[in-house]
Each structure stands twice: as C-alpha cells, then as structure tokens.
Amino acid sequence: MSPFRASAPFTPEWKHFGFTVDDGVATVAFDRPERLNALTFEAYADLRDLLLELPHRDDVRALVLRGRGRGFCSGGDVDAIIGATLDMAPDDLLAFTRMTGETVRAMRECPVPVIAAVHGVAAGAGAVLALAADFRVVESTARFAFLFTRVGLAGGDMGAAYLLPRIAGLGHATRLLMLGDTVGAEEADRCGLVSEAVGEGEAAEAAGRLARRLADGPAFAYAQTKALLSRELDMGLSGAVELEAVTQALLMKSEDYREFHAAFTGRRDPQWKGR
C-alpha cells in the first residue's frame, strides 16, 4: 500500500452500503434488499471513493462485494436513477456516466484483490461490477443479465464492452451485450464468468475463505500480478515481456521474496508481510 498520504483523513463512515473490515478482509454489502440492492447515485459515488481510498489503507488486503437479501445487485434503480436521468442536462448525464465508469476503473486499478460473491440476480450495473472483480464466486441459482439494450441504451456501459470480450470472448460478449438475455450460473460458467461455482447459500462463506487466503498471502505479489493482467491486455508481446521483467526485478528486492527463501531453508511456512 502507498505510504504517501495527503491531508484528508480516511472516510469514517460509508452511508450507502455496509462496510466492515475484519483482520485484513473488507466487505462491502449492498444494503437495499427490498430493491434487490439497486444502486443509487450516492452508492456509485461511495463505491468509487472507497476503491480510491483502499490503496492508501494498511488494514485491507482483500475486498469482498456482496448483496443482502435475495440478490447481488439488480443494477441502477429504475426510479432513483433511470427516472431522474430523463430530466438531467447533458453535462450532468456525462458526469454520471463517467462516474460509473470511474468506479469500474478504480476496481480494476485497485491493488487489493476484489471478490464478488454472487447470489440471485446480478443485472445491469450489478453484472458489470461482478465482471470487474478479480474473482467471481457464483451460486448455482445465480443469474447474470447485461440489460442495457433492454432499456434502450448501448450494451457497452461502464467498461462492459472492454471487459466482457476479454473474459468470455467476442462471440459470447456480443450475444450477452447485444441481446441482454439472462443467463444462469451454468451458462455463465461455460462463458468463463465463474471463478468458483458453489451451491445455493454458499457464496458469502466461499468468498470469505478466498478473501482470507488472499489477505494472508503475499499482498505485494498479488498487487503486481493484478497490475500486469490489466496492463498487458492492450500490449504487444515485447512490451509485455519487458514489463514483466521489470516487475520481477522489483519483487526480487521485496521482503516477501527474502522471507520465502528464509522459510524454505528453515523448513517453515513463510510469514508474508506484503512488502
């Protein structure tokens, strides 16, 4: 994590979702179960700002996104967002759509591994947030739907047209984004959207186990791996090989690399410091 802090303190309270930290594992719980955890303008802004804050905190080494109640997240609230946008000026609309995209970009650029624990519905923006996570732990009854064309908007929203072809391939991405069809967990798995498939009611616990493993591991190595995966998507081979060479040389000077050698020669488990 970055040791460089400006004057502003960390946010003491996030009002538009639940947020907890337990021994290095942070959990964001979308908390509007009566609306299938539909997002509001304020929830987007809080999530964006939290993701920008996490790289500067030293108490979070893994992040879980989950939803309370019957689903993960049903996307933007029809009344609070879709209805409101009908009367918004063009500059305000652009500020909103940029904010949603900034949320996904912050998720991908955050050095903390992000796990989406998906149960029930992940639709619209909810599907994109799951897509932008590093890992998706998905229950057998979960459903994904990229619904943007169903409301008359472009299927590429919040970076979906960038991320989905790279995860599922262009053919699956075209079908899912163009038609907006709902797909179940089994089909989502075939498309490559599922990192870990679990039974009904098991996503939160399984995501917690994965988060615990990540939080207890070599955080600096995980952060650099995530950065390589994101940045090499648009690089040629020579640039990618050079970036990996520079990254490995950097990590070879890390405390964790030295700790591995000490643990191996001492016949003990390494005590990772994330440095």
Side-chain angles (χ1 to χ4, degrees):
M1 301 303 160
S2 172
F4 306 111
R5 289 286 301 137
S7 301
F10 293 130
T11 305
E13 179 185 6
W14 300 97
K15 297 181 179 180
H16 302 287
F17 46 69
F19 180 71
T20 59
V21 179
D22 180 16
D23 192 22
V25 175
T27 301
V28 165
F30 300 122
D31 197 15
R32 301 182 72 214
E34 74 286 355
R35 301 285 291 177
L36 282 176
N37 299 314
L39 299 169
T40 62
F41 293 123
E42 295 80 9
Y44 275 117
D46 264 5
L47 184 57
R48 174 203 59 195
D49 290 353
L50 171 64
L51 290 162
L52 293 174
E53 227 178 66
L54 288 183
H56 300 280
R57 297 178 59 141
D58 59 5
D59 62 339
V60 174
R61 298 185 298 278
L63 172 65
V64 175
L65 300 182
R66 59 183 297 264
R68 301 194 193 280
R70 296 181 295 113
F72 174 71
C73 176
S74 60
D77 189 283
V78 174
D79 296 324
I81 288 186
I82 296 179
T85 56
L86 298 177
D87 297 319
M88 289 172 63
D91 57 336
D92 290 332
L93 288 170
L94 183 56
F96 165 58
T97 54
R98 281 177 170 164
M99 175 177 67
T100 64
E102 287 166 1
T103 303
V104 167
R105 183 173 62 192
M107 189 182 302
R108 294 305 313 147
E109 294 181 353
C110 180
V112 175
V114 181
I115 305 160
V118 182
H119 77 292
V121 65
V128 182
L129 290 178
L131 183 68
D134 300 296
F135 301 90
R136 285 161 294 281
V137 178
V138 180
E139 293 187 7
S140 56
T141 55
R143 306 178 308 282
F144 291 83
F146 298 88
L147 296 173
F148 305 108
T149 61
R150 294 293 187 96
V151 302
L153 296 177
D157 191 40
M158 299 171 59
Y162 177 90
L163 292 171
L164 192 55
R166 288 162 170 79
I167 294 174
L170 182 59
H172 288 308
T174 300
R175 175 171 59 92
L176 294 175
L177 295 182
M178 193 84 74
L179 300 179
D181 289 343
T182 299
V183 298
E186 186 175 342
E187 184 174 357
D189 196 6
R190 289 198 300 269
C191 292
L193 295 178
V194 177
S195 305
E196 181 180 351
V198 297
E200 185 175 2
E202 298 177 0
E205 183 178 352
R209 287 195 301 268
L210 177 56
R212 178 80 275 138
R213 176 181 174 183
L214 291 164
D216 290 343
F220 190 28
Y222 291 154
Q224 295 306 310
T225 302
K226 179 174 180 175
L228 290 172
L229 287 167
S230 293
R231 282 162 175 73
E232 290 184 31
L233 287 172
D234 301 312
M235 295 179 68
L237 177 60
S238 61
V241 168
E242 175 65 13
L243 180 59
E244 290 185 8
V246 172
T247 301
Q248 291 295 53
L250 171 67
L251 285 166
M252 285 174 182
K253 295 299 293 182
S254 69
E255 292 183 31
D256 279 349
Y257 185 65
R258 184 174 297 275
E259 167 62 11
F260 165 77
H261 184 263
F264 182 82
T265 56
R267 293 181 172 82
R268 60 174 176 82
D269 292 332
Q271 302 297 311
W272 305 116
K273 298 180 181 179
R275 303 178 64 86

